[in-house]
Amino acid sequence: MIDLAGAMLKEPYGPLGDERYRGCLAEIKASGEAMLERVGKLLDLAAVEAGSLHLEPRALDLNDVVADCVARLQGEAARGRIVMRTSFSTDIGDLEADERSVSRAASLVIENAIRRSVAGSQIIVSTGSAERAAIAVRVRGTSAGHAPPAEAPRGDVEDGLALPRALVEANGGRLQLSARPEDGTLVEIIMPTHRAANG
């Protein structure tokens, strides 16, 4: 469906005619891509919950992992006219975890923040220490101007965090969400340090 709609939009056999046909095809293509992405996430979530996710824990520099995620998603934020800022702590401990799953969890949380933001909003991605020998990735979304953000219902926000939450928990960490009108939405990925992970 996605490939066929994309092919028709290129008009290889001649013009589509009325411009409304092009709009309909673009909508079909976008809906198909969104459905494919959602099914993919559900399959990944099922794999994590079934215990079939293969983890390769090793020492990681969390700042480097998160910086790579931000770099990959800067373009998407810019297209939506959303400002993405970073603040990385230089005194956090080493993290022992599976790089691929931690990176994917952080990317999904940032993507979720971008998709729920409007033009002129700001997203702050930071790292720092957390309680009990843990370190954290924090993603805070704030609204444009000084008006309170129009937050999505908490259940909708949580729905977008199901897969990253499962990926974080598979690595021995946890994900928590807090939302206040004056501060925006804050999602924290909290992971044990290398020392805590090894007792």
Side-chain angles (χ1 to χ4, degrees):
M1 179 178 71
I2 297 169
D3 290 344
L4 183 59
M8 291 177 70
L9 284 168
K10 293 177 183 176
E11 301 178 316
Y13 307 116
L16 290 170
D18 195 302
E19 188 62 27
R20 286 173 291 185
Y21 291 133
R22 177 174 290 277
C24 291
L25 282 170
E27 215 171 294
I28 290 169
K29 185 172 183 288
S31 296
E33 289 170 344
M35 186 183 302
L36 187 63
E37 180 184 9
R38 188 171 183 84
V39 169
K41 287 180 179 178
L42 288 172
L43 290 172
D44 288 342
L45 180 59
V48 176
E49 292 180 342
S52 58
L53 179 68
H54 178 64
L55 299 178
E56 297 181 354
R58 65 179 183 85
L60 303 176
D61 184 322
L62 185 61
N63 287 343
D64 286 348
V65 172
V66 178
D68 286 345
C69 296
V70 171
R72 288 196 304 270
L73 294 166
Q74 278 283 10
E76 184 177 341
R79 285 190 292 275
R81 293 189 291 125
I82 298 160
V83 176
M84 189 149 56
R85 303 187 189 281
T86 58
S87 176
F88 297 153
S89 174
T90 58
D91 62 353
I92 55 176
D94 289 335
L95 170 67
E96 184 169 295
D98 176 67
E99 181 174 3
R100 181 178 174 276
S101 56
V102 170
S103 175
R104 186 157 188 224
S107 294
L108 288 168
V109 170
I110 297 169
E111 282 179 9
N112 196 47
I114 292 171
R115 291 177 183 179
R116 289 187 295 100
S117 297
V118 297
S121 298
Q122 179 173 262
I123 295 170
I124 302 170
V125 182
S126 63
T127 61
S129 299
E131 76 287 352
R132 295 191 298 277
I135 54 180
V137 180
R138 298 181 176 97
V139 180
R140 183 185 298 276
T142 59
S143 67
H146 300 289
E151 294 295 338
R154 187 180 180 94
D156 291 349
V157 179
E158 288 279 9
D159 182 54
L161 299 176
L163 179 55
R165 184 187 301 279
L167 291 169
V168 169
E169 290 176 352
N171 280 278
R174 72 182 193 278
L175 185 148
Q176 59 189 36
L177 165 71
S178 59
R180 293 187 298 180
E182 66 274 17
D183 294 329
T185 299
L186 171 66
V187 178
E188 294 179 280
I189 295 173
I190 301 174
M191 301 288 296
T193 61
H194 178 87
R195 182 179 58 192
N198 288 278

